[in-house]
Amino acid sequence: MFILASASPRRRALLHQIGAQFVPITPAVDEAEGGTHPRDAVIRNALTKARKVAEEYPDHAVLGADTAVVLSDMSFGKPKDPTDARRMLALLEGRTHTVITGIAWVVGGQAYTDAAETTVRFAPMSAAEIDAYVATGEPMGKAGAYAVQGRAAIYIEELHGSFSNVVGLPLHAVAALARTAGVRMEDDNASA
């Protein structure tokens, strides 16, 4: 059993989907923004989250993650409010962007990090469609102000890379890095 250093219900759902045995703990950290390449920033944030929880639980493997939506030289985290969500969606609509998730395992004080990138093509959206989508509340709490696994799916024209990465946790990359770190994600008694 390992610890997921995240408050994200989407990350929890993805890990449950693959039968992972974990306990979620929300780390008390502030995510750093800007100043570095988005890939470096999400890895740094993921590692900060994992290390914070590992300080309290040093005998457990801890997984941290952080996701950003990147368009040109702009990086979008979670919207601050509905106005911010509208701004993000207005910039993303009709364009291709990249979703980058940094992942970090901390095991016995040793850190293992990686990141996954997925390109996503958003369909054009009218101002009325953006307003209607924001009014659902779904954009709040999600990097880039959309949920690919939710109502926003009708606006996703194309996706290249890991779907689970766009949801918030690149499962293949997490599992590969877990093997490198010597972490078993499933219960030994789990049936196939």
Side-chain angles (χ1 to χ4, degrees):
M1 180 152 332
F2 65 92
I3 297 173
L4 171 64
S6 176
S8 169
R10 292 157 303 283
R11 290 187 181 128
R12 293 175 191 180
L14 286 166
L15 289 170
H16 283 301
Q17 173 187 317
I18 62 168
Q21 298 297 308
F22 66 96
V23 173
I25 295 178
T26 302
V29 297
D30 293 324
E31 296 177 6
E33 293 183 24
T36 61
H37 186 276
R39 180 182 173 93
D40 297 334
V42 294
I43 290 172
R44 182 184 64 233
N45 285 335
L47 185 55
T48 298
K49 293 173 188 180
R51 281 190 171 145
K52 180 66 174 176
V53 172
E55 287 173 7
E56 296 178 46
Y57 301 92
D59 296 333
H60 290 79
V62 180
L63 172 63
D66 187 57
T67 302
V69 170
V70 180
L71 176 67
S72 301
D73 61 348
M74 296 175 286
S75 182
F76 304 117
K78 299 169 188 162
K80 296 181 210 82
D81 53 36
T83 300
D84 196 29
R86 282 186 201 87
R87 177 189 66 81
M88 289 181 191
L89 291 166
L91 289 166
L92 294 174
E93 67 89 12
R95 300 174 78 185
T96 299
H97 63 273
T98 304
V99 177
I100 307 173
T101 300
I103 55 173
W105 283 101
V106 174
V107 182
Q110 179 72 35
Y112 303 84
T113 62
D114 198 4
E117 297 187 19
T118 304
T119 57
V120 180
R121 172 106 182 129
F122 234 92
M125 296 174 76
S126 68
E129 287 173 314
I130 290 172
D131 287 342
Y133 179 57
V134 171
T136 68
E138 186 177 88
M140 303 314 296
K142 295 168 185 80
Y146 73 93
V148 68
Q149 75 283 13
R151 294 176 185 210
I154 64 171
Y155 298 108
I156 305 303
E157 289 184 334
E158 207 171 329
L159 185 145
H160 295 279
S162 167
F163 176 82
S164 66
N165 179 43
V166 183
V167 176
L169 194 65
L171 293 174
H172 181 269
V174 167
L177 195 58
R179 285 190 294 276
T180 299
V183 175
R184 183 160 172 79
M185 294 179 62
E186 296 177 347
D187 186 355
D188 290 331
N189 298 320
S191 58

